[in-house]
């Protein structure tokens, strides 16, 4: 069973549940739930949690469900943050860097090509290194940023999991970063929306690989 | 006490809002204006002894990308 968080202002949680249901069972987790029980993995979906007031993700990080996610992540269990979920994970300090308003100041909504650089994370275990995934982005604050020194260290330690393919960077992210992992690789966040790319009907099913990865990375259920 | 917290993008970080405002100015006849940066102002009332620094570090600003300044911690009438 995969849990999909739902904050006031989330808007992609239903698509995320549908995507998860292609690989496992799934249920919504309301932001006030403080226990995640024996969920196999957690997805923090896209949207505008708490209206994105102050900064995208700034307030959601204080939700009871996020405290539970913090413990879940600390136990090494799989967590995937998508778009607003990525912003929340960065604000919570579970992933490095921050997401700034797009360099072009416009809301971008289009299909992009994303390259997979690591296959040993909770969200890429079912990918091949160098896989090129066609996944849509739709965001206003997706410009991932870290100061030069921090970026160099993250590059050095291989923390960048997804990068926009050459010429595809939609928002001005430094080093074309589209998604990151924590040190252990069990927490992954990305701006593109794999849950909107799980059926050829909508142009691409490449996003399914991330959900397959989550299931593969989940520890066997406790007996 | 009343306080104002001024939050702005750190120096060196691209501020597209500031750039857009700056580019619009000459069209309106305002020449010679540069280095426009757009931030946020938060006004609040706090009980004495409240740790405003911690409040800023934890929520009002993201220290990785923003600088903040706590201003005019004036009296009730402030």
């Amino acid at each position: 069973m995969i849990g999909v968080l739902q904050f006031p202002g989330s808007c992609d949680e239903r698509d995320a549940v549908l995507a998860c249901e292609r690989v496992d069972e799934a249920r919504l987790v309301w932001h006030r739930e403080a226990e995640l029980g024996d969920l196999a993995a957690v997805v923090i979906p896209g949207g505008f949690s708490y209206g994105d007031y102050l900064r995208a993700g700034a307030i959601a990080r204080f939700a009871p469900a996020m405290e539970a996610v913090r413990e879940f992540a600390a136990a090494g269990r799989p967590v995937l943050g998508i778009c607003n979920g990525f912003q929340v994970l960065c604000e919570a300090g579970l992933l490095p860097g921050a997401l700034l308003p797009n360099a072009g100041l416009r809301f971008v909504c289009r299909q992009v090509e994303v390259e997979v650089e690591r296959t040993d994370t909770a969200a890429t275990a079912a990918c091949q290194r160098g896989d090129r995934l066609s996944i849509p982005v739709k965001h206003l604050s997706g410009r991932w940023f870290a100061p030069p020194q921090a970026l160099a260290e993250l590059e050095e330690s291989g923390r960048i999991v997804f990068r926009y393919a050459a010429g595809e960077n939609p928002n001005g992210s430094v080093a074309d970063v589209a998604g990151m992992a924590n040190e252990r690789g069990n927490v992954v966040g990305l701006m593109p929306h794999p849950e909107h790319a799980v059926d050829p009907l909508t142009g691409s099913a490449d996003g399914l690989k991330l959900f397959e990865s989550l299931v593969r990375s989940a520890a066997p259920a406790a007996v | 006490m009343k306080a104002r917290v001024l939050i702005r993008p750190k120096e060196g970080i691209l501020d597209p809002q500031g750039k857009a405002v700056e580019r619009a100015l000459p069209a309106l006849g305002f020449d010679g204006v540069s280095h426009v940066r757009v931030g946020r102002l938060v006004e609040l009332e706090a009980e004495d002894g409240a740790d405003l620094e911690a409040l800023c570090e934890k929520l009002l600003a993201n220290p990785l990308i923003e600088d903040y300044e706590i201003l005019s911690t004036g009296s009730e009438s402030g």
Side-chain angles (χ1 to χ4, degrees), chain A residues 131-191:
Chain A
D131 268 358
R132 207 172 148 121
L133 311 178
S134 174
I135 301 181
V137 289
K138 46 166 193 152
H139 59 245
L140 184 60
S141 287
R143 177 168 46 117
W144 185 83
F145 171 85
Q149 179 64 33
L151 175 63
E153 287 168 18
L154 292 168
E155 291 271 17
E156 180 74 18
S157 54
R159 298 275 288 280
I160 293 152
V161 180
F162 300 103
R163 239 186 267 263
Y164 299 111
E168 295 276 318
N169 187 339
N171 51 37
S173 288
V174 296
D176 296 326
V177 170
M180 298 289 304
N182 66 346
E183 206 170 345
R184 209 162 159 182
N186 65 307
V187 179
V188 176
L190 78 167
M191 285 314 294

Side-chain angles (χ1 to χ4, degrees), chain A residues 54-55 58-59 61-62 90-91 96-105 143 145-147 150, chain B residues 7 9 12-18 20 23 40 42 56-62 64-66:
Chain A
L54 208 55
R55 292 176 309 279
I59 298 179
R61 65 176 274 214
F62 296 103
C90 286
E91 281 284 340
L99 291 140
L100 289 158
N102 297 342
L105 265 187
R143 177 168 46 117
F145 171 85
Chain B
I7 301 147
I13 288 188
L14 172 68
D15 170 23
Q17 278 194 82
R23 278 200 303 267
R40 271 195 312 280
V42 179
C56 291
E57 293 276 338
K58 279 200 168 158
L59 179 61
L60 296 188
N62 179 340
L64 187 68
I65 49 175
E66 295 167 323

Side-chain angles (χ1 to χ4, degrees), chain A residues 36-42 66-79 94 122 182 184-187 217-220:
Chain A
L36 296 175
D38 59 357
L39 291 175
V42 167
M66 277 308 297
E67 287 305 316
V69 166
R70 196 181 287 280
E71 287 170 27
F72 194 83
R77 295 158 81 187
V79 177
L94 291 172
N182 66 346
R184 209 162 159 182
N186 65 307
V187 179
S217 306

Side-chain angles (χ1 to χ4, degrees), chain B residues 1 4 9 11-12 15 17 19 21 29 32 37 39-40 47 49 51-53 60 62-63 68 70 72-73 75 77:
Chain B
M1 69 180 173
R4 289 180 161 179
E11 276 299 325
D15 170 23
Q17 278 194 82
K19 287 267 181 254
V21 172
R37 300 181 75 70
R40 271 195 312 280
E47 287 176 9
D51 190 349
L52 292 186
E53 290 280 341
L60 296 188
N62 179 340
Y68 64 88
I70 300 169
S72 72
T73 44
S75 62
S77 60

Side-chain angles (χ1 to χ4, degrees), chain A residues 32-50:
Chain A
R32 291 199 186 280
E33 287 188 42
E35 299 285 338
L36 296 175
D38 59 357
L39 291 175
V42 167
V43 173
I44 310 176
F48 303 86
S49 56
Y50 302 93

Side-chain angles (χ1 to χ4, degrees), chain A residues 44 56 83 102 128 150 165 189-190 204 213:
Chain A
I44 310 176
C83 192
N102 297 342
Q128 302 289 323
L190 78 167
S204 165
S213 300

